[in-house]
Amino acid sequence: MRLILLGPPGAGKGTQAQRLVEKYGIVQLSTGDMLRAAVAAGTPVGLKAKDIMAAGGLVPDDVVVDIIADRIEQPDAANGFILDGFPRTVPQAAALDELLKRKKMKLDAVVELRVNEGALLQRVENRAAETRARGEEVRADDTPEVLAKRLASYRAQTEPLIDYYSERRSLLTVDGMMSIDGVTEEISRVLSAIGAGAKGPAKAARGSSNGTRTAAKVARKPAKAASKAKKAASKAGKKAAKKAKKPAKAARKAAKGAKKAARKTARKPARATKGKGGRKASKPAKKVTKKRAKR
Ligand code: AMP
């Protein structure tokens, strides 16, 4: 399975990515983590990224695209991956499309964690406090001032990706304001609804486009559409869907027949009274028809 987790800083991408890693046996590829490691190691990429990251800006597209291009080719990513924090700009998304196409890899879904911006500062403060409590070093960019800049970068450069992926019908939107467990459950639910939850090696590029269509529906109305799609998906693809149509057809036919019979029955007393009372006598018949139709 190959996924992208999309959402502003503090949306819970990292937390959810770790859970997905365990659940699906895939790797988490966080460009933020990789860049932080590069900064810590003092590599040329790290030297380039250090100040930009500390200021809450975005590292140049070519730098992160190169990192990802190398990383997705590693053997541990063969089973699939979750991109956390990448892509962050439309050019990065376009470069990723190209990259995947070249490598004949298919993206299963883009999961957007939708959160209330007001809650983000609190979340980032909590994250910093938890990190401190564990005795670990707090991220230099997890401060209110830098968060404001990271949010501005997100709005200007990353948010357009929501349209980018919804136009390509691969976006799944999940309410990121629920509890951590709630979000995890919802992600699993929408993924299985599009048939992306199954374990096993990641699919090659020429997979069915059916799943992405379902994903678009799910994105428009997460809970309702997802449960509907889940039912359809559980019937395992087109074959089952075809079969499913037959009973539906039969049911329609039966309903049509029943309606006809109801009309006939309703007409009978009308005709019987018509002889006596003319037009007026047909009124009760209409009522009967209405009542029956309601039932
Ligand atoms: P994150 O851990 O995802 O919040 O990323 C931390 C910082 O790393 C960001 O604020 C950026 O400065 C940089 N960064 C991470 N991913 C990207 C990316 N895809 N494109 C540009 N900059 C990135």
Side-chain angles (χ1 to χ4, degrees):
M1 178 157 60
R2 300 187 190 94
L3 289 179
I4 292 176
L5 273 184
L6 204 60
K13 299 187 297 292
T15 308
Q16 295 301 329
Q18 280 165 16
R19 291 175 166 217
L20 291 165
V21 161
E22 277 170 33
K23 181 160 183 177
Y24 298 111
I26 52 183
V27 288
Q28 173 191 8
L29 306 183
S30 156
T31 39
D33 284 350
M34 292 182 228
L35 288 167
R36 276 185 287 277
V39 170
T43 66
V45 165
L47 293 176
K48 236 187 223 178
K50 190 177 180 192
D51 293 341
I52 301 171
M53 290 172 75
L58 290 185
V59 172
D61 290 337
D62 57 335
V63 173
V64 282
V65 169
D66 283 352
I67 293 178
I68 286 296
D70 283 346
R71 191 60 187 86
I72 60 175
E73 290 219 309
Q74 302 302 313
D76 65 344
N79 206 32
F81 49 76
I82 305 165
L83 296 175
D84 160 13
F86 179 90
R88 251 179 161 100
T89 65
V90 171
Q92 285 180 24
L96 177 66
D97 282 347
E98 265 309 302
L99 201 64
L100 294 175
K101 203 168 145 193
R102 238 185 9 246
K103 296 182 194 296
K104 294 191 165 48
M105 290 177 177
K106 180 187 164 282
L107 193 65
D108 292 272
V110 178
V111 178
E112 179 208 356
L113 296 181
R114 190 166 287 183
V115 287
N116 196 333
E117 262 198 24
L120 294 177
L121 178 60
Q122 190 58 53
R123 283 190 178 194
V124 167
E125 280 177 348
N126 290 348
R127 177 163 74 190
E130 282 161 18
T131 309
R132 230 174 274 123
R134 285 197 301 270
E136 293 166 17
E137 204 180 321
V138 176
R139 278 171 57 167
D141 57 356
D142 265 356
T143 64
E145 302 74 39
V146 182
L147 176 70
K149 287 185 191 148
R150 287 161 67 202
L151 271 176
S153 302
Y154 179 80
R155 260 183 248 120
Q157 290 167 278
T158 312
E159 226 166 45
L161 292 182
I162 292 168
D163 281 344
Y164 182 92
Y165 286 115
S166 52
E167 276 160 19
R168 281 156 185 77
R169 306 204 285 178
S170 47
L171 189 78
L172 300 165
T173 300
V174 164
D175 177 7
M177 296 306 292
M178 295 184 283
S179 65
I180 293 177
D181 286 346
V183 175
T184 308
E185 263 172 44
E186 185 66 3
I187 293 176
S188 302
R189 202 169 66 80
V190 294
L191 287 178
S192 57
I194 60 156
K199 273 200 172 184
K203 282 178 203 157
R206 272 182 295 137
S208 115
S209 62
N210 234 10
T212 49
R213 224 175 298 141
T214 316
K217 274 188 193 166
V218 174
R220 279 197 295 273
K221 235 181 179 183
K224 215 173 170 186
S227 69
K228 229 177 167 184
K230 191 178 177 182
K231 275 181 203 158
S234 71
K235 295 205 169 175
K238 282 182 181 173
K239 266 191 179 175
K242 256 187 187 172
K243 273 185 191 168
K245 266 183 199 163
K246 280 182 188 165
K249 223 175 171 181
R252 271 201 304 275
K253 220 175 163 185
K256 226 175 167 182
K259 257 190 184 174
K260 219 173 166 183
R263 273 200 300 272
K264 258 189 180 173
T265 326
R267 249 183 257 135
K268 270 180 193 164
R271 270 192 209 126
T273 46
K274 203 177 176 180
K276 285 180 195 168
R279 281 193 149 212
K280 271 182 189 169
S282 67
K283 272 188 180 167
K286 272 189 186 164
K287 273 184 192 163
V288 173
T289 316
K290 251 189 186 172
K291 261 189 186 171
R292 278 173 197 270
K294 267 184 191 170
R295 260 187 253 148

